[in-house]
Amino acid sequence: MSNENTEVKKSDKFLNTQQAAKKGDVNAQFILGAMYEDGEEIAQDYSEAYKYYKLAAKQGNIDAQISLGLLYEHGSGVTKNYTKAIECYSVAAKQGAATAQYFLGNMYCFGRGVKQDLIKGIEYYQLAAQQGYDDAQFSLGCMYRSGKGVVQDLAKAAYYYQQAAVQGNLAAQYNLGLMYYNGHGVIQSNISAYQYFSLAAAQKDATAEYKLGVMYENGLGVKKDFLKAIDYYLLAAKHKNADAQFKLGCIYSEGNNVKQNFKVARDYFHSAARQGYMAAQNELGIIYAMGNGVQQNYIKAAHYFHLAAKQGLAEALFNLGLLYANGNGVKKNKRIARELLRKSCTNGEPEVIKLYQRLK
């Protein structure tokens, strides 16, 4: 429902904009639509946003045409309609609007409202990228990196990531850092990798924070500093990065440059395990099987070994096989134990193979 007839006191800014919009002022119509969409000066109301964007779009306001397209694309305040979204974006794109060109590129690349057409999508990305639109530059970088719709060209991927990265595009900064880290499309440089990971980390990118931890831990592009590494792992873990959570679990479990604390280790392993991190699931199994910092509980150990074994982790298959062989936390079953140990033998570890042979 519209909020216009409610008794909520409206600001002078809103009332003045509303008055101008009702008199046909195209800019006021667009601004009023944005106010309703963003909930600025008035309660958020996508239906009202749609109404005013449509009025402004009919008068040729490019920003309103784009905003209207977004409402159609996402079904905000109106029934989702990709075809109408494309119509709105096309009108604005023909007038040279880089944002609309980028959105059209997405529609064609992902096949929304049209048959998927990577070539046409890339054409729109290129139009927007030529105008310096960083999301389009990033998207082109991804296309060249993967070879989707174009011949794979890692150097071009790095070029487009660079164009977007200097404009503060977080994803481009991280991806470019990764390319320097691995030497893909560029001359390998830990210093450059550190530079771009740092830019992404400054925007609270958890994966970049984790990578910086790795670089400090191993002295890659920076002076080795394990305490700084831990600081970055802590930042990344706080931002729900499973690699960092697992790493911290290992650090506290081993007492590596910190006081050994199995409870803290378990908490970090739990956080990573909840995200499906199989190595963390296996470590939790070990903690419960050994009773490290917790009451020994083979049933819980079996649960976590099962989770990791389902994902094919050889160590978890081995550990679960031992539980079945000894009847710890599960009903003793040598057949199942043999099968699990046989599967874990694929990694070729002599200890596993010996145990398997003994149970055959």
Side-chain angles (χ1 to χ4, degrees):
M1 284 181 65
S2 168
N3 294 292
E4 288 183 23
N5 295 321
T6 64
E7 294 183 7
V8 176
K9 182 172 174 59
K10 300 178 178 68
S11 68
D12 289 339
K13 179 182 176 181
F14 174 83
L15 291 171
N16 290 336
T17 305
Q18 183 186 52
Q19 187 176 23
K22 287 184 174 179
K23 289 180 179 178
D25 185 311
V26 63
N27 292 325
Q29 289 170 344
F30 169 70
I31 292 169
L32 191 61
M35 284 181 174
Y36 274 115
E37 183 179 8
D38 299 334
E40 179 194 346
E41 309 285 340
I42 191 70
Q44 189 177 55
D45 189 328
Y46 286 113
S47 296
E48 287 295 300
Y50 169 77
K51 181 173 86 175
Y52 285 106
Y53 282 150
K54 192 170 184 181
L55 288 171
K58 281 183 178 178
Q59 294 196 66
N61 184 286
I62 293 175
D63 291 328
Q65 290 160 349
I66 295 168
S67 295
L68 192 59
L70 283 169
L71 293 185
Y72 276 121
E73 183 178 352
H74 299 293
S76 301
V78 65
T79 303
K80 183 182 285 190
N81 190 320
Y82 287 146
T83 302
K84 286 191 175 181
I86 289 171
E87 288 174 5
C88 293
Y89 295 149
S90 296
V91 170
K94 284 176 184 175
Q95 297 175 72
T99 306
Q101 292 165 344
Y102 167 69
F103 288 145
L104 271 179
N106 285 341
M107 301 301 271
Y108 279 101
C109 283
F110 296 107
R112 295 176 186 153
V114 289
K115 185 178 178 182
Q116 188 180 45
D117 188 334
L118 295 177
I119 293 173
K120 196 161 187 178
I122 288 169
E123 286 174 359
Y124 280 114
Y125 285 155
Q126 287 171 334
L127 287 172
Q130 285 164 11
Q131 297 189 65
Y133 196 81
D134 64 295
D135 284 332
Q137 292 164 340
F138 171 73
S139 294
L140 283 172
C142 292
M143 303 300 268
Y144 277 107
R145 186 179 178 187
S146 64
K148 289 182 76 173
V150 291
V151 175
Q152 188 180 44
D153 189 327
L154 297 180
K156 275 191 177 179
Y159 167 78
Y160 281 114
Y161 285 150
Q162 169 73 31
Q163 296 292 304
V166 296
Q167 297 187 70
N169 187 291
L170 188 157
Q173 290 168 344
Y174 175 76
N175 281 17
L176 189 57
L178 202 59
M179 295 191 86
Y180 275 109
Y181 187 82
N182 295 312
H184 292 164
V186 292
I187 296 171
Q188 200 281 334
S189 170
N190 288 326
I191 292 173
S192 294
Y194 174 81
Q195 174 191 347
Y196 286 107
F197 286 148
S198 295
L199 289 172
Q203 298 192 62
K204 296 183 170 53
D205 182 82
T207 315
E209 290 166 345
Y210 169 71
K211 283 292 186 185
L212 286 175
V214 172
M215 297 190 86
Y216 273 109
E217 181 179 356
N218 297 287
L220 301 173
V222 289
K223 187 178 178 181
K224 200 170 188 175
D225 188 331
F226 198 78
L227 293 180
K228 274 193 177 180
I230 290 175
D231 286 340
Y232 276 110
Y233 290 146
L234 287 168
L235 278 174
K238 184 181 177 182
H239 296 140
K240 298 184 171 29
N241 180 275
D243 286 315
Q245 291 165 344
F246 174 72
K247 187 73 175 179
L248 286 167
C250 293
I251 288 170
Y252 279 98
S253 179
E254 296 162 7
N256 188 1
N257 281 271
V258 296
K259 186 177 179 181
Q260 189 177 45
N261 190 321
F262 287 112
K263 183 181 181 303
V264 173
R266 183 195 61 187
D267 290 343
Y268 278 118
F269 286 142
H270 265 300
S271 296
R274 280 196 292 267
Q275 297 186 64
Y277 203 96
M278 58 185 181
Q281 293 164 343
N282 182 66
E283 289 298 329
L284 278 174
I286 293 171
I287 283 175
Y288 282 109
M290 301 294 292
N292 289 334
V294 296
Q295 186 175 349
Q296 190 177 49
N297 189 324
Y298 283 118
I299 293 173
K300 281 191 175 182
H303 167 72
Y304 285 110
F305 288 147
H306 266 295
L307 290 176
K310 278 182 183 177
Q311 297 187 68
L313 184 68
E315 189 181 350
L317 288 161
F318 171 72
N319 291 332
L320 189 58
L322 286 183
L323 294 188
Y324 274 103
N326 297 304
N328 292 330
V330 291
K331 188 175 180 181
K332 189 172 183 176
N333 189 316
K334 286 197 172 184
R335 181 187 63 78
I336 293 176
R338 279 194 299 270
E339 179 61 18
L340 289 167
L341 291 169
R342 182 189 67 76
K343 286 180 180 178
S344 72
C345 284
T346 54
N347 65 7
E349 288 185 13
E351 183 186 351
V352 180
I353 295 170
K354 267 188 203 175
L355 190 55
Y356 171 61
Q357 291 295 337
R358 200 181 307 147
L359 283 169
K360 276 182 83 173

Coordinates of all heavy atoms in Angstrom, one line a residue, residues 10-92:
K10 N 5.8 13.8 7.3 CA 6.8 13.7 6.2 C 7.7 14.9 6.3 O 7.3 16.0 6.6 CB 6.1 13.6 4.9 CG 5.2 12.3 4.7 CD 4.5 12.3 3.4 CE 3.6 11.1 3.3 NZ 2.5 11.1 4.2
S11 N 9.0 14.7 5.9 CA 9.9 15.8 5.9 C 9.6 16.8 4.8 O 9.0 16.5 3.8 CB 11.3 15.3 5.7 OG 11.5 14.8 4.4
D12 N 10.2 18.0 5.0 CA 10.0 19.1 4.0 C 10.6 18.6 2.6 O 10.1 18.9 1.6 CB 10.6 20.4 4.4 CG 9.8 21.0 5.6 OD1 8.6 20.7 5.7 OD2 10.4 21.9 6.3
K13 N 11.8 18.0 2.8 CA 12.4 17.5 1.5 C 11.5 16.6 0.7 O 11.4 16.7 -0.5 CB 13.7 16.8 1.9 CG 14.5 16.3 0.7 CD 15.8 15.5 1.1 CE 16.5 14.9 -0.1 NZ 17.7 14.2 0.4
F14 N 10.9 15.6 1.4 CA 10.0 14.7 0.8 C 8.8 15.4 0.2 O 8.5 15.2 -1.0 CB 9.6 13.6 1.7 CG 8.5 12.7 1.2 CD1 8.9 11.6 0.4 CD2 7.2 12.9 1.4 CE1 7.9 10.8 -0.2 CE2 6.2 12.1 0.8 CZ 6.6 11.0 0.0
L15 N 8.2 16.3 1.0 CA 7.0 16.9 0.5 C 7.2 17.8 -0.7 O 6.4 17.9 -1.7 CB 6.4 17.8 1.6 CG 5.8 16.9 2.8 CD1 5.4 17.8 4.0 CD2 4.5 16.2 2.3
N16 N 8.4 18.5 -0.7 CA 8.7 19.4 -1.8 C 9.0 18.6 -3.1 O 8.6 18.9 -4.2 CB 10.0 20.2 -1.5 CG 9.7 21.3 -0.4 OD1 8.5 21.7 -0.3 ND2 10.7 21.7 0.3
T17 N 9.7 17.4 -2.9 CA 10.0 16.6 -4.0 C 8.7 16.0 -4.6 O 8.5 15.9 -5.8 CB 10.9 15.4 -3.6 OG1 12.1 16.0 -3.0 CG2 11.3 14.6 -4.8
Q18 N 7.8 15.5 -3.7 CA 6.5 15.0 -4.1 C 5.7 16.0 -4.8 O 5.1 15.6 -5.9 CB 5.8 14.5 -2.8 CG 4.5 13.8 -3.1 CD 3.7 13.5 -1.9 OE1 3.5 14.4 -1.0 NE2 3.3 12.2 -1.7
Q19 N 5.7 17.2 -4.4 CA 4.9 18.2 -5.0 C 5.4 18.5 -6.4 O 4.6 18.6 -7.4 CB 5.0 19.5 -4.2 CG 4.0 20.6 -4.7 CD 4.1 21.9 -3.8 OE1 5.0 22.1 -3.1 NE2 3.0 22.7 -3.9
A20 N 6.7 18.6 -6.6 CA 7.3 18.8 -7.9 C 7.1 17.6 -8.8 O 6.8 17.8 -10.0 CB 8.8 19.0 -7.8
A21 N 7.1 16.4 -8.3 CA 6.9 15.2 -9.1 C 5.5 15.2 -9.6 O 5.3 14.8 -10.8 CB 7.2 14.0 -8.2
K22 N 4.5 15.5 -8.8 CA 3.1 15.5 -9.2 C 2.8 16.6 -10.3 O 1.9 16.5 -11.0 CB 2.2 15.7 -8.0 CG 2.2 14.5 -7.1 CD 1.2 14.6 -6.0 CE 1.1 13.3 -5.2 NZ 0.1 13.5 -4.0
K23 N 3.7 17.6 -10.3 CA 3.6 18.6 -11.4 C 4.3 18.2 -12.7 O 4.3 19.0 -13.6 CB 4.1 20.0 -10.8 CG 3.3 20.6 -9.8 CD 3.9 21.9 -9.3 CE 3.0 22.6 -8.2 NZ 3.6 23.8 -7.7
G24 N 4.9 17.0 -12.6 CA 5.5 16.5 -13.9 C 7.0 16.8 -14.0 O 7.6 16.5 -15.0
D25 N 7.7 17.2 -12.9 CA 9.1 17.4 -12.9 C 9.8 16.1 -13.0 O 9.7 15.3 -12.0 CB 9.5 18.2 -11.7 CG 11.0 18.6 -11.7 OD1 11.8 17.7 -12.0 OD2 11.4 19.7 -11.4
V26 N 10.4 15.8 -14.1 CA 11.0 14.5 -14.3 C 12.1 14.1 -13.3 O 12.2 13.0 -12.9 CB 11.5 14.3 -15.8 CG1 12.7 15.3 -16.1 CG2 12.0 12.9 -16.1
N27 N 12.9 15.1 -13.0 CA 14.0 14.8 -12.0 C 13.4 14.5 -10.6 O 13.9 13.6 -9.9 CB 15.0 16.0 -11.9 CG 15.8 16.1 -13.2 OD1 16.2 15.1 -13.8 ND2 16.1 17.3 -13.6
A28 N 12.4 15.3 -10.3 CA 11.7 15.0 -9.0 C 11.1 13.7 -9.0 O 11.1 13.0 -7.9 CB 10.7 16.1 -8.7
Q29 N 10.5 13.2 -10.1 CA 9.9 11.9 -10.2 C 10.9 10.8 -9.9 O 10.6 9.9 -9.2 CB 9.2 11.7 -11.5 CG 7.9 12.6 -11.7 CD 7.4 12.6 -13.2 OE1 8.2 12.2 -14.1 NE2 6.2 13.0 -13.4
F30 N 12.1 11.0 -10.5 CA 13.1 10.0 -10.3 C 13.6 10.0 -8.9 O 13.7 8.9 -8.2 CB 14.3 10.2 -11.3 CG 15.5 9.4 -10.9 CD1 15.5 8.0 -11.1 CD2 16.6 10.0 -10.3 CE1 16.6 7.2 -10.7 CE2 17.7 9.2 -9.9 CZ 17.7 7.8 -10.1
I31 N 13.8 11.2 -8.3 CA 14.3 11.3 -7.0 C 13.3 10.7 -6.0 O 13.6 10.0 -5.0 CB 14.6 12.8 -6.6 CG1 15.8 13.2 -7.4 CG2 14.9 12.9 -5.1 CD1 16.1 14.7 -7.4
L32 N 12.0 11.0 -6.2 CA 11.0 10.5 -5.3 C 10.9 8.9 -5.4 O 10.8 8.3 -4.4 CB 9.6 11.1 -5.7 CG 8.5 10.8 -4.7 CD1 8.8 11.4 -3.4 CD2 7.2 11.4 -5.3
G33 N 11.1 8.4 -6.6 CA 11.1 7.0 -6.8 C 12.3 6.4 -6.0 O 12.1 5.3 -5.3
A34 N 13.4 7.0 -6.0 CA 14.6 6.6 -5.3 C 14.4 6.6 -3.8 O 14.8 5.8 -3.0 CB 15.8 7.4 -5.7
M35 N 13.7 7.7 -3.3 CA 13.4 7.8 -1.9 C 12.5 6.7 -1.4 O 12.8 6.1 -0.4 CB 12.6 9.1 -1.7 CG 13.5 10.4 -1.7 SD 12.4 11.8 -1.3 CE 13.7 13.1 -1.2
Y36 N 11.5 6.3 -2.2 CA 10.7 5.2 -1.9 C 11.4 3.9 -1.9 O 11.2 3.0 -1.1 CB 9.4 5.1 -2.8 CG 8.3 6.0 -2.4 CD1 7.9 7.1 -3.1 CD2 7.6 5.7 -1.2 CE1 6.8 7.9 -2.7 CE2 6.5 6.5 -0.8 CZ 6.1 7.6 -1.5 OH 5.1 8.3 -1.1
E37 N 12.3 3.7 -2.9 CA 13.0 2.5 -3.0 C 14.0 2.3 -1.9 O 14.2 1.2 -1.3 CB 13.8 2.4 -4.4 CG 14.6 1.1 -4.5 CD 15.3 1.0 -5.9 OE1 15.4 2.0 -6.6 OE2 15.8 -0.1 -6.1
D38 N 14.7 3.4 -1.5 CA 15.7 3.3 -0.4 C 15.2 3.5 1.0 O 15.9 3.3 1.9 CB 16.8 4.3 -0.7 CG 17.5 4.1 -2.0 OD1 17.5 3.0 -2.5 OD2 18.0 5.1 -2.6
G39 N 13.9 3.9 1.1 CA 13.4 4.2 2.4 C 14.0 5.5 3.0 O 14.2 5.6 4.2
E40 N 14.3 6.4 2.1 CA 14.9 7.7 2.5 C 13.8 8.7 2.7 O 13.0 9.0 1.8 CB 15.9 8.2 1.5 CG 16.6 9.5 1.9 CD 17.3 10.1 0.7 OE1 17.6 9.4 -0.3 OE2 17.6 11.3 0.8
E41 N 13.7 9.3 3.9 CA 12.7 10.3 4.2 C 11.2 9.8 4.2 O 10.3 10.5 4.5 CB 12.7 11.5 3.2 CG 14.1 12.1 2.9 CD 14.5 13.0 4.1 OE1 13.7 13.4 4.9 OE2 15.8 13.2 4.2
I42 N 11.1 8.5 3.9 CA 9.7 7.9 3.9 C 9.9 6.4 4.1 O 11.0 5.9 3.8 CB 9.0 8.2 2.5 CG1 7.5 7.8 2.6 CG2 9.7 7.6 1.4 CD1 6.7 8.7 3.5
A43 N 8.9 5.7 4.5 CA 8.9 4.3 4.6 C 9.2 3.6 3.2 O 8.6 4.1 2.2 CB 7.6 3.7 5.2
Q44 N 10.0 2.6 3.2 CA 10.3 2.0 1.9 C 9.0 1.4 1.3 O 8.2 0.8 2.0 CB 11.3 0.8 2.2 CG 11.9 0.2 0.9 CD 12.9 -0.8 1.2 OE1 12.7 -1.8 1.9 NE2 14.1 -0.7 0.6
D45 N 8.9 1.6 0.0 CA 7.7 1.2 -0.7 C 8.0 1.0 -2.2 O 8.1 2.0 -2.9 CB 6.5 2.2 -0.5 CG 5.2 1.7 -1.0 OD1 5.2 0.9 -2.0 OD2 4.2 2.1 -0.5
Y46 N 8.3 -0.2 -2.5 CA 8.7 -0.5 -3.9 C 7.6 -0.2 -4.9 O 7.9 0.2 -6.1 CB 9.1 -2.0 -4.1 CG 10.5 -2.3 -3.4 CD1 10.6 -3.1 -2.3 CD2 11.6 -1.7 -3.9 CE1 11.8 -3.4 -1.7 CE2 12.9 -2.0 -3.4 CZ 12.9 -2.8 -2.3 OH 14.2 -3.1 -1.7
S47 N 6.3 -0.4 -4.5 CA 5.2 -0.1 -5.5 C 5.2 1.4 -5.8 O 5.0 1.8 -7.0 CB 3.9 -0.5 -4.8 OG 3.8 -1.9 -4.6
E48 N 5.4 2.3 -4.8 CA 5.5 3.7 -5.1 C 6.7 4.0 -5.9 O 6.7 4.9 -6.8 CB 5.4 4.5 -3.8 CG 4.1 4.5 -3.1 CD 3.0 5.2 -3.9 OE1 3.2 6.4 -4.2 OE2 2.0 4.6 -4.3
A49 N 7.8 3.4 -5.6 CA 9.1 3.6 -6.3 C 8.8 3.3 -7.8 O 9.2 4.1 -8.7 CB 10.2 2.7 -5.8
Y50 N 8.2 2.1 -8.0 CA 7.8 1.7 -9.4 C 7.0 2.8 -10.1 O 7.3 3.2 -11.3 CB 7.1 0.4 -9.4 CG 6.5 0.0 -10.7 CD1 7.3 -0.5 -11.7 CD2 5.1 0.2 -10.9 CE1 6.7 -0.9 -12.9 CE2 4.5 -0.2 -12.1 CZ 5.3 -0.7 -13.1 OH 4.8 -1.1 -14.3
K51 N 6.0 3.3 -9.4 CA 5.1 4.3 -10.0 C 5.9 5.5 -10.5 O 5.7 6.0 -11.6 CB 4.0 4.7 -9.0 CG 3.0 5.7 -9.5 CD 1.9 5.9 -8.5 CE 2.2 7.0 -7.5 NZ 1.1 7.3 -6.6
Y52 N 6.7 6.0 -9.6 CA 7.4 7.3 -10.0 C 8.6 7.0 -11.0 O 8.9 7.9 -11.8 CB 7.9 8.0 -8.7 CG 6.8 8.7 -8.0 CD1 6.2 8.1 -6.8 CD2 6.2 9.8 -8.5 CE1 5.2 8.7 -6.2 CE2 5.1 10.4 -7.9 CZ 4.6 9.9 -6.7 OH 3.5 10.5 -6.1
Y53 N 9.2 5.9 -10.9 CA 10.3 5.6 -11.9 C 9.6 5.5 -13.3 O 10.2 5.9 -14.3 CB 10.9 4.2 -11.6 CG 12.0 4.3 -10.5 CD1 12.2 3.2 -9.7 CD2 12.7 5.4 -10.2 CE1 13.2 3.2 -8.7 CE2 13.7 5.5 -9.2 CZ 13.9 4.3 -8.5 OH 14.9 4.3 -7.5
K54 N 8.4 4.9 -13.3 CA 7.7 4.7 -14.6 C 7.4 6.1 -15.2 O 7.5 6.3 -16.4 CB 6.5 3.9 -14.4 CG 5.9 3.4 -15.7 CD 4.8 2.3 -15.5 CE 4.3 1.8 -16.8 NZ 3.2 0.8 -16.6
L55 N 6.9 7.0 -14.4 CA 6.6 8.3 -14.8 C 7.8 9.0 -15.4 O 7.8 9.7 -16.5 CB 6.0 9.2 -13.7 CG 4.6 8.8 -13.2 CD1 4.2 9.6 -12.0 CD2 3.6 9.1 -14.3
A56 N 8.9 8.9 -14.7 CA 10.2 9.6 -15.1 C 10.7 8.9 -16.4 O 11.3 9.6 -17.3 CB 11.2 9.6 -14.0
A57 N 10.6 7.6 -16.4 CA 11.2 6.8 -17.6 C 10.4 7.2 -18.8 O 11.0 7.3 -19.9 CB 11.0 5.3 -17.3
K58 N 9.1 7.4 -18.7 CA 8.3 7.8 -19.9 C 8.7 9.2 -20.4 O 8.6 9.5 -21.6 CB 6.8 7.9 -19.5 CG 6.1 6.5 -19.5 CD 4.7 6.6 -19.2 CE 4.0 5.3 -19.2 NZ 2.5 5.4 -18.8
Q59 N 9.3 10.0 -19.6 CA 9.8 11.3 -20.0 C 11.3 11.2 -20.4 O 11.9 12.3 -20.7 CB 9.6 12.3 -18.9 CG 8.2 12.6 -18.5 CD 8.1 13.9 -17.7 OE1 8.3 15.0 -18.2 NE2 7.6 13.8 -16.5
G60 N 11.8 10.0 -20.5 CA 13.2 9.8 -21.0 C 14.3 9.9 -20.0 O 15.5 10.0 -20.4
N61 N 14.0 9.9 -18.7 CA 15.0 9.9 -17.7 C 15.8 8.6 -17.7 O 15.2 7.5 -17.4 CB 14.4 10.2 -16.3 CG 15.5 10.3 -15.3 OD1 16.1 9.4 -14.8 ND2 15.7 11.6 -14.8
I62 N 17.1 8.6 -18.1 CA 17.9 7.4 -18.2 C 18.0 6.6 -16.9 O 17.8 5.4 -16.8 CB 19.2 7.7 -18.8 CG1 19.1 8.2 -20.2 CG2 20.1 6.5 -18.8 CD1 20.4 8.7 -20.9
D63 N 18.3 7.3 -15.8 CA 18.4 6.7 -14.5 C 17.1 6.0 -14.1 O 17.2 4.9 -13.5 CB 18.8 7.7 -13.4 CG 20.2 8.2 -13.7 OD1 21.1 7.5 -14.1 OD2 20.5 9.4 -13.3
A64 N 16.0 6.6 -14.4 CA 14.7 6.0 -14.1 C 14.5 4.7 -14.9 O 13.9 3.7 -14.4 CB 13.6 7.0 -14.3
Q65 N 14.9 4.8 -16.2 CA 14.8 3.6 -17.1 C 15.6 2.4 -16.5 O 15.1 1.3 -16.5 CB 15.2 4.0 -18.5 CG 14.3 4.9 -19.2 CD 15.0 5.6 -20.4 OE1 16.2 5.6 -20.5 NE2 14.2 6.3 -21.2
I66 N 16.8 2.7 -16.0 CA 17.6 1.7 -15.5 C 17.0 1.1 -14.2 O 16.9 -0.1 -13.9 CB 19.0 2.2 -15.2 CG1 19.7 2.5 -16.5 CG2 19.9 1.1 -14.5 CD1 21.0 3.3 -16.4
S67 N 16.6 2.1 -13.3 CA 16.0 1.7 -12.0 C 14.7 0.9 -12.2 O 14.4 -0.1 -11.5 CB 15.7 2.9 -11.2 OG 16.9 3.6 -10.9
L68 N 13.9 1.2 -13.2 CA 12.7 0.5 -13.5 C 13.1 -0.9 -14.0 O 12.4 -1.9 -13.6 CB 11.9 1.2 -14.6 CG 10.5 0.8 -14.9 CD1 9.6 0.9 -13.7 CD2 9.9 1.6 -16.1
G69 N 14.1 -1.0 -14.8 CA 14.6 -2.3 -15.3 C 15.0 -3.2 -14.1 O 14.6 -4.4 -14.1
L70 N 15.6 -2.6 -13.1 CA 16.0 -3.4 -12.0 C 14.8 -3.9 -11.2 O 14.8 -5.0 -10.7 CB 16.9 -2.5 -11.1 CG 18.4 -2.4 -11.5 CD1 19.1 -1.3 -10.7 CD2 19.1 -3.7 -11.4
L71 N 13.8 -3.1 -11.0 CA 12.6 -3.5 -10.3 C 12.0 -4.7 -11.1 O 11.5 -5.6 -10.4 CB 11.6 -2.3 -10.2 CG 12.0 -1.2 -9.3 CD1 10.9 -0.2 -9.2 CD2 12.4 -1.6 -7.9
Y72 N 11.9 -4.6 -12.4 CA 11.4 -5.7 -13.2 C 12.2 -7.0 -13.0 O 11.7 -8.1 -12.9 CB 11.3 -5.3 -14.6 CG 10.0 -4.6 -15.0 CD1 10.1 -3.3 -15.6 CD2 8.7 -5.1 -14.8 CE1 8.9 -2.6 -15.9 CE2 7.6 -4.4 -15.1 CZ 7.7 -3.2 -15.7 OH 6.5 -2.5 -16.0
E73 N 13.6 -6.8 -13.1 CA 14.5 -7.9 -13.0 C 14.3 -8.7 -11.7 O 14.4 -9.9 -11.6 CB 15.9 -7.5 -13.2 CG 16.9 -8.6 -13.2 CD 18.3 -8.2 -13.5 OE1 18.6 -7.0 -13.8 OE2 19.2 -9.1 -13.3
H74 N 14.2 -7.9 -10.6 CA 14.2 -8.5 -9.3 C 12.8 -8.7 -8.7 O 12.6 -9.3 -7.6 CB 15.0 -7.7 -8.3 CG 16.5 -7.6 -8.7 ND1 17.3 -8.7 -8.7 CD2 17.2 -6.6 -9.2 CE1 18.5 -8.3 -9.2 NE2 18.4 -7.0 -9.5
G75 N 11.8 -8.2 -9.4 CA 10.4 -8.4 -8.9 C 10.1 -7.6 -7.7 O 9.4 -8.0 -6.8
S76 N 10.7 -6.4 -7.6 CA 10.4 -5.5 -6.5 C 9.3 -4.5 -6.8 O 9.5 -3.6 -7.6 CB 11.7 -4.8 -6.1 OG 12.8 -5.7 -5.8
G77 N 8.2 -4.6 -6.1 CA 7.1 -3.7 -6.3 C 6.3 -4.0 -7.6 O 5.4 -3.2 -7.9
V78 N 6.7 -5.0 -8.3 CA 6.1 -5.4 -9.6 C 6.4 -6.8 -9.8 O 7.4 -7.4 -9.3 CB 6.6 -4.5 -10.7 CG1 8.1 -4.7 -10.9 CG2 5.8 -4.6 -12.0
T79 N 5.6 -7.5 -10.6 CA 5.8 -8.9 -11.0 C 7.1 -9.0 -11.7 O 7.4 -8.2 -12.7 CB 4.7 -9.5 -11.8 OG1 3.4 -9.3 -11.1 CG2 4.9 -10.9 -12.2
K80 N 8.0 -9.9 -11.3 CA 9.3 -10.1 -12.0 C 9.0 -10.4 -13.5 O 8.2 -11.2 -13.9 CB 10.0 -11.3 -11.4 CG 11.4 -11.5 -12.0 CD 12.1 -12.7 -11.4 CE 12.6 -12.4 -10.0 NZ 13.5 -13.5 -9.5
N81 N 9.7 -9.6 -14.3 CA 9.6 -9.8 -15.8 C 10.9 -9.4 -16.5 O 11.2 -8.3 -16.7 CB 8.4 -8.8 -16.2 CG 8.0 -9.1 -17.7 OD1 8.9 -9.3 -18.6 ND2 6.7 -9.0 -17.9
Y82 N 11.6 -10.4 -16.9 CA 12.9 -10.2 -17.5 C 12.8 -9.5 -18.8 O 13.6 -8.7 -19.2 CB 13.7 -11.6 -17.7 CG 14.2 -12.2 -16.4 CD1 14.2 -13.6 -16.3 CD2 14.7 -11.4 -15.4 CE1 14.7 -14.2 -15.1 CE2 15.2 -12.0 -14.2 CZ 15.2 -13.4 -14.1 OH 15.7 -13.9 -12.9
T83 N 11.7 -9.8 -19.6 CA 11.6 -9.2 -20.9 C 11.4 -7.7 -20.8 O 12.0 -6.9 -21.5 CB 10.3 -9.8 -21.6 OG1 10.5 -11.2 -21.7 CG2 10.1 -9.2 -23.0
K84 N 10.6 -7.3 -19.8 CA 10.4 -5.8 -19.6 C 11.7 -5.2 -19.0 O 12.0 -4.0 -19.3 CB 9.2 -5.6 -18.7 CG 7.9 -5.8 -19.3 CD 6.7 -5.3 -18.5 CE 5.4 -5.4 -19.3 NZ 4.3 -4.9 -18.5
A85 N 12.4 -6.0 -18.2 CA 13.7 -5.4 -17.7 C 14.6 -5.2 -18.9 O 15.3 -4.1 -18.9 CB 14.3 -6.4 -16.8
I86 N 14.7 -6.1 -19.8 CA 15.6 -5.9 -21.0 C 15.1 -4.7 -21.8 O 16.0 -4.0 -22.3 CB 15.6 -7.2 -21.8 CG1 16.3 -8.3 -21.1 CG2 16.2 -7.0 -23.2 CD1 16.2 -9.7 -21.8
E87 N 13.8 -4.5 -22.0 CA 13.3 -3.4 -22.7 C 13.8 -2.1 -22.1 O 14.2 -1.2 -22.8 CB 11.8 -3.4 -22.7 CG 11.2 -4.5 -23.6 CD 9.7 -4.6 -23.5 OE1 9.1 -3.8 -22.8 OE2 9.1 -5.5 -24.1
C88 N 13.7 -2.0 -20.7 CA 14.1 -0.8 -20.0 C 15.6 -0.6 -20.2 O 16.1 0.5 -20.5 CB 13.8 -0.9 -18.6 SG 12.0 -0.9 -18.2
Y89 N 16.4 -1.6 -20.0 CA 17.9 -1.5 -20.1 C 18.3 -1.1 -21.5 O 19.2 -0.3 -21.7 CB 18.5 -2.8 -19.8 CG 18.4 -3.3 -18.3 CD1 18.4 -4.6 -18.0 CD2 18.3 -2.4 -17.3 CE1 18.3 -5.1 -16.7 CE2 18.2 -2.8 -16.0 CZ 18.1 -4.2 -15.7 OH 18.0 -4.6 -14.4
S90 N 17.5 -1.7 -22.5 CA 17.9 -1.4 -23.9 C 17.7 0.1 -24.3 O 18.5 0.6 -25.0 CB 17.0 -2.3 -24.8 OG 17.3 -3.7 -24.7
V91 N 16.6 0.6 -23.8 CA 16.3 2.0 -24.1 C 17.5 2.9 -23.5 O 18.0 3.8 -24.2 CB 15.0 2.5 -23.4 CG1 14.8 4.0 -23.5 CG2 13.8 1.8 -24.1
A92 N 17.9 2.6 -22.3 CA 19.0 3.4 -21.7 C 20.3 3.1 -22.3 O 21.2 4.0 -22.5 CB 19.1 3.1 -20.2

